[in-house]
Amino acid sequence: MVTSASRPLAIFGGTFDPVHLGHLRVAWEAAELLDAEVRLLPARMPPHRPPPRASAEARVALLRAALAGQDRLGLDLRELARPGPSYSVDTLAELRAEHGAQRPLILLLGQDAFAGLPTWERWTQLFDLAHIVVLTRPASLPPWPDSLQGQWRQRAVAAPAALHAAAAGAMFNLRVSALEISASQVRALLAAGREPRYLLPDALLADAALLAPYRMPPR
Ligand code: ATP
């Protein structure tokens, strides 16, 4: 592994359709517990799932409103600007070129996303570019594919300090708060004319225009 001393940059990707307190809380805990700069990275066209309900512009407006007033979590819009599917390996290669060989990069993944990692485009190259941190909730872990377990046996580290000591290549399991919130649930509530209060930051409910795309009939 390449040695490094600088503060890690961690990315947390998703469709954020819409962003909710489950996303924000785990991103916040990762920033604190890993002592990292964390950026939320909305995907334009996620390769592994149906297209988002709201436009990229609407999802970004929600993210900006959700992130206002704090400075630990940032927003990275590069995948929205890039044509074609949003492959994490391309995003991390861009970040590696921008930040140099020494800075630790971290790919933060929820448990569900992590379990599907071996289906991702050029997935084994991810380890050359970044560390992988899986955000686990105390509930039981889903079974991991054998290929992922093999990587885990080679690469797992016991403490976040190891993620500061190298630029890429380690895997770490970060225990985070379990907030049983999903964007699907929020979309369903809005489509049914209900208010998702306390599942989203208040700022998203304070401006009726922000959530309007989810109250309309599907595009
Ligand atoms: P959907 O319900 O539409 O599938 P989602 O709520 O899972 O959406 P995504 O944008 O798909 O949101 O998720 C982005 C990342 O956030 C994924 O890695 C996912 O595992 C993680 N995530 C989603 N909800 C939570 C939550 N409540 N707590 C922790 N992590 C979450």
Side-chain angles (χ1 to χ4, degrees):
M1 282 187 217
V2 186
T3 56
S4 169
S6 58
R7 194 159 174 257
L9 168 61
I11 57 168
F12 186 47
T15 41
F16 304 113
D17 187 30
V19 64
H20 54 67
L21 291 177
H23 299 131
L24 293 164
R25 183 63 210 168
V26 295
W28 185 264
E29 287 186 19
E32 285 189 332
L33 299 171
L34 303 176
D35 187 20
E37 174 191 348
V38 172
R39 294 186 191 169
L40 273 57
L41 205 119
R44 189 172 80 92
M45 196 194 293
H48 305 104
R49 47 180 295 157
R53 171 82 166 76
S55 67
E57 296 71 32
R59 289 181 289 128
V60 170
L62 285 157
L63 280 160
R64 286 198 201 284
L67 296 175
Q70 56 77 47
D71 57 13
R72 265 188 185 272
L73 306 180
L75 191 55
D76 191 318
L77 301 180
R78 72 186 60 232
E79 290 193 350
L80 299 177
R82 208 169 55 217
S86 308
Y87 291 126
S88 298
V89 67
D90 297 330
T91 301
L92 287 167
E94 274 183 31
L95 286 167
R96 178 55 72 207
E98 284 167 25
H99 292 269
Q102 303 293 313
R103 186 168 187 193
L105 296 179
I106 299 176
L107 178 62
L108 297 172
L109 293 173
Q111 293 178 54
D112 46 348
F114 180 72
L117 199 67
T119 65
W120 289 23
E121 178 79 5
R122 289 162 277 149
W123 76 281
T124 54
Q125 286 181 26
L126 295 170
F127 300 106
D128 300 330
L129 295 163
H131 301 303
I132 294 189
V133 168
V134 54
L135 305 165
T136 57
R137 297 177 249 176
S140 65
L141 287 171
W144 293 348
D146 289 347
S147 51
L148 207 46
Q149 291 190 28
Q151 295 285 354
W152 188 264
R153 278 193 293 273
Q154 282 176 46
R155 299 175 181 278
V157 295
L163 307 176
H164 288 244
M171 297 173 95
F172 180 64
N173 180 9
L174 185 67
R175 288 292 175 120
V176 290
S177 298
L179 297 180
E180 279 307 318
I181 305 173
S182 70
S184 326
Q185 173 198 12
V186 173
R187 290 195 299 275
L189 289 172
L190 288 164
R194 290 175 57 195
E195 190 182 47
R197 187 167 295 277
Y198 309 127
L199 300 178
L200 306 178
D202 289 346
L204 275 52
L205 295 156
D207 178 350
L210 285 173
L211 291 168
Y214 302 98
R215 295 197 174 96
M216 293 170 186
R219 287 181 290 161

